[in-house]
Amino acid sequence: RFVLDIKGICYILAKRTLTGMRMTRAIVLLSGGMDSLVTAAIAARECDELYLLHFSYGQRTESKEKWCFRQIASHYKSREARVVDYRWLAEIGGSALTDKDMSLSEDNGVPNTYVPFRNATMLCAAIAWAEVIEADSIYIGAVEEDSSGYPDCRESFFEAMNDVIKQGTLAANISIKTPVLHHSKSEIVQLGHSLNAPFELSWSCYFAEDQACGDCPSCQLRLKAFANSGTKDPIPYKVR
């Protein structure tokens, strides 16, 4: 079976060379959370080459997220994995994810864990890199249903960003893909299991890095998702 698989891969590569087909390249925005993990698994299935992009923006679990990013990048054998320093997002403040002095609260139904215009600024960096490496697509694991009302997780926002690419890049043919946008968290867990995504390498907790707190909104959404899917979350928790 192993020999047959190798022959199959060689056949595909040879066919691409002979027909002039180019290897499909994708950039995946990978935070280290379960949504971006499953998105990376989807991209790995759909594309030939993966380029992974992570952002350090002063989030409280920055070290843990970066460790998860490196482990997931190794798991999927990404062609390249880059970490971008976006600490200025913490410097300008405005989010409980970056400001340890802020306690959790809501404003008009949107929790203050929202980082102002974060997805847009991150996508801009990904678009620039995509132009350089001639990537076909940019994958982002945004989820509209469980987005807590974040405005930059809406389908209309990503449609607008695709228009920005057409208007503001030389390539103009890069597409932003949101494969889990309309999935529930439990559906994402089920999809991840079907793709053998390594959930043990992901992290969702907003505040803790050794054991997930189990209390923050992100932990609660994750625990509920695994419970609804009938599977056990493999990461450690202080409270389940």
Side-chain angles (χ1 to χ4, degrees):
R1 178 63 180 274
F2 179 75
V3 174
L4 289 176
D5 286 343
I6 293 298
K7 286 183 177 179
I9 293 171
C10 290
Y11 170 77
I12 292 171
L13 293 175
K15 183 178 179 181
R16 286 183 181 277
T17 301
L18 291 172
T19 60
M21 293 175 64
R22 186 172 65 82
M23 300 283 281
T24 56
R25 295 172 181 157
I27 293 174
V28 182
L29 274 64
L30 183 62
S31 67
M34 74 173 199
D35 301 333
S36 66
L37 165 65
V38 175
T39 298
I42 294 169
R45 181 186 61 183
E46 296 178 347
C47 304
D48 298 313
E49 295 180 347
L50 290 189
Y51 293 75
L52 303 184
L53 194 58
H54 179 78
F55 295 85
S56 290
Y57 54 93
Q59 61 270 46
R60 298 191 193 192
T61 56
E62 181 176 349
S63 296
K64 182 66 175 184
E65 289 184 21
K66 194 180 296 184
W67 180 88
C68 291
F69 170 73
R70 295 297 187 194
Q71 296 300 311
I72 295 169
S74 177
H75 177 84
Y76 286 110
K77 298 179 174 59
S78 64
R79 181 70 180 268
E80 198 168 340
R82 288 182 176 270
V83 176
V84 179
D85 186 348
Y86 259 25
R87 290 185 179 275
W88 62 273
L89 283 175
E91 292 172 3
I92 64 174
S95 172
L97 281 190
T98 58
D99 189 342
K100 294 181 179 179
D101 294 328
M102 290 180 66
S103 57
L104 291 179
S105 64
E106 289 190 2
D107 182 13
N108 294 322
V110 179
N112 63 352
T113 50
Y114 166 68
V115 179
F117 217 45
R118 178 183 61 178
N119 284 348
T121 59
M122 292 179 176
L123 282 170
C124 286
I127 293 165
W129 194 23
E131 278 209 277
V132 173
I133 65 173
E134 298 183 347
D136 306 276
S137 51
I138 298 167
Y139 286 71
I140 181 170
V143 182
E144 187 168 27
E145 180 176 335
D146 293 324
S147 65
S148 302
Y150 294 174
D152 57 355
C153 284
R154 296 179 297 200
E155 184 174 15
S156 58
F157 165 76
F158 295 107
E159 291 173 348
M161 288 302 296
N162 272 319
D163 287 337
V164 168
I165 291 173
K166 293 175 184 177
Q167 296 296 326
T169 66
L170 289 175
N173 59 352
I174 304 161
S175 62
I176 297 171
K177 295 189 176 182
T178 54
V180 298
L181 186 66
H182 296 299
H183 285 55
S184 68
K185 290 288 190 180
S186 58
E187 289 172 340
I188 292 171
V189 170
Q190 293 168 354
L191 178 57
H193 283 310
S194 72
L195 296 171
N196 295 315
F199 283 111
E200 69 277 7
L201 300 181
S202 66
W203 197 254
S204 301
C205 185
Y206 284 155
F207 304 122
E209 294 186 306
D210 51 351
Q211 290 182 309
C213 71
D215 290 325
C216 71
S218 186
C219 278
Q220 291 176 5
L221 283 172
R222 179 173 174 139
L223 284 168
K224 182 180 178 182
F226 274 90
N228 289 343
S229 68
T231 57
K232 183 179 180 180
D233 190 347
I235 70 170
Y237 284 87
K238 293 179 180 178
V239 179
R240 281 185 181 265

